Amino acid sequence: METIDLAYVGRGIHEELVAYVADQEGYFEDEGVHVAVRDGIGWGTERLRACATIGLGRALLSRLTDGIEWTVLSVNTHRPLFWFLGGPGVNSMEDLRGRRLAVHPAHTAPGCFARIVLRRCGLDPDRDLTCVARAPGDYQMDLRRLRDGSVDAAYVGSTLAPDQVAEEEGFHVLAWVGDHFQIPTVGVAVDAARVHTDSPAVQAVVRANRRALHTLAQRPELAVDYVASFLNRLTRNEAQRHYERYIGPYFTDDGRVDLEVARRAVDAVAAELGVRAAPAEPIYAAAR
């Protein structure tokens, strides 16, 4: 049996859901590959290069800034599962002006996406609000800080369901990143200089990943079961609504990339980072 490490670089269904489905449904085993799903959140780039990675956003930033030949082989979604969540009295993105926002550091992929969305909403992240950088986690400390007023808003990921949290806590969902900025953001990628894209293990992971995507699209009841298993604060109806709003319509059925979306996204990320843009085709062509 072939073996390979597959690393996620963030927590939540954004990163973990598809690989989890592939594992739980036996798709890796069917493909004859033993996959060790690894927590690569704290790993440096050099260690990550030895694995296949789920984090396409981090891979793109690394390719643009370090020239590492990350190659995307399968794309799960073009709509990042991150949200701006406002505390009491912060009802809109415009209300962030002059406020304190807990957010990922600017040099990370989620932080870069946040800055792009802020600018598209007419806010300069360096002048119009105070960005309080914090390490990503499960965002429970962000909720605590929203409650005690030490921050006014938080940029949160998919370890929680923002609509349910907002309703329960009296907060406000200000914006979903996926409505404002699209980018191929999770899936399967490898550093082609370290891991051959056509190796049997890599191709087996890609096939299993795409089969899991097909399952999520074609078996919505099962998909909601998996969403509910990750977001266990939700009722079944809330998990259903979360799937229908953020996952069902936007996760791909086949792992293929939208190259037009990719081109615009690469240009936007490069501009935000202040580096030279790269052609999208060599990065994403294998996922066409």
Side-chain angles (χ1 to χ4, degrees):
M1 178 175 282
E2 299 288 336
T3 63
I4 192 170
D5 287 348
L6 176 64
Y8 60 87
V9 295
R11 295 187 176 93
I13 60 176
H14 178 71
E15 290 259 346
E16 299 176 74
L17 177 62
V18 176
Y20 185 73
V21 171
D23 179 55
Q24 295 299 302
E25 293 296 310
Y27 299 158
F28 293 136
E29 185 177 0
D30 289 349
E31 293 293 343
V33 61
H34 174 75
V35 178
V37 179
R38 307 291 299 277
D39 179 351
I41 294 172
W43 288 5
T45 301
E46 281 303 307
R47 187 176 182 186
L48 196 62
R49 293 174 71 185
C51 304
T53 182
I54 294 169
L56 306 189
R58 179 170 168 179
L60 174 62
L61 266 67
S62 180
R63 181 152 182 158
L64 291 175
T65 57
D66 304 320
I68 295 172
E69 295 182 21
W70 291 106
T71 300
V72 173
L73 304 171
S74 188
V75 172
N76 295 352
T77 182
H78 296 78
R79 301 209 178 208
L81 292 179
F82 294 93
W83 297 264
F84 292 85
L85 189 64
V90 181
N91 303 307
S92 68
M93 291 297 284
E94 177 58 29
D95 286 344
L96 289 176
R97 196 175 299 275
R99 307 282 191 141
R100 297 156 299 178
L101 171 70
V103 66
H104 301 63
H107 67 274
T108 66
C112 180
F113 303 165
R115 293 171 67 87
I116 290 170
V117 173
L118 286 167
R119 295 187 196 282
R120 292 184 177 181
C121 292
L123 296 165
D124 184 329
D126 298 316
R127 298 177 184 273
D128 293 334
L129 66 157
T130 300
C131 289
V132 181
R134 46 87 170 108
D138 67 1
Y139 306 101
Q140 294 303 310
M141 182 57 73
D142 287 345
L143 300 185
R144 182 173 176 176
R145 296 178 72 188
L146 284 170
R147 293 186 198 107
D148 68 22
S150 56
V151 298
D152 303 297
Y155 179 78
V156 300
S158 60
T159 61
L160 49 77
D163 302 282
Q164 180 268 333
V165 169
E167 181 177 352
E168 186 175 299
E169 300 280 355
F171 300 154
H172 307 94
V173 179
L174 310 180
W176 174 35
V177 168
D179 280 337
H180 296 269
F181 177 57
Q182 286 82 57
I183 183 172
T185 182
V186 282
V188 180
V190 297
D191 172 12
R194 295 282 187 90
V195 180
H196 292 299
T197 59
D198 59 354
S199 75
V202 168
Q203 289 302 312
V205 168
V206 170
R207 289 192 298 271
N209 189 83
R210 293 184 171 185
R211 187 176 174 190
L213 285 167
H214 187 74
T215 295
L216 288 171
Q218 299 301 318
R219 299 175 63 188
E221 288 298 311
L222 180 63
V224 172
D225 288 342
Y226 279 116
V227 169
S229 73
F230 275 91
L231 301 174
N232 54 19
R233 286 180 59 174
L234 301 186
T235 67
R236 175 72 185 191
N237 286 339
E238 288 167 340
Q240 178 84 33
R241 290 196 295 271
H242 191 77
Y243 170 82
E244 292 174 349
R245 172 68 176 95
Y246 299 111
I247 297 170
Y250 300 118
F251 273 55
T252 71
D253 180 57
D254 56 9
R256 298 190 183 278
V257 71
D258 184 325
L259 267 180
E260 285 303 314
V261 170
R263 291 186 188 104
R264 292 193 298 270
V266 171
D267 289 346
V269 168
E272 180 59 43
L273 296 175
V275 299
R276 185 188 299 273
E281 285 78 0
I283 304 172
Y284 299 102
R288 295 185 68 178

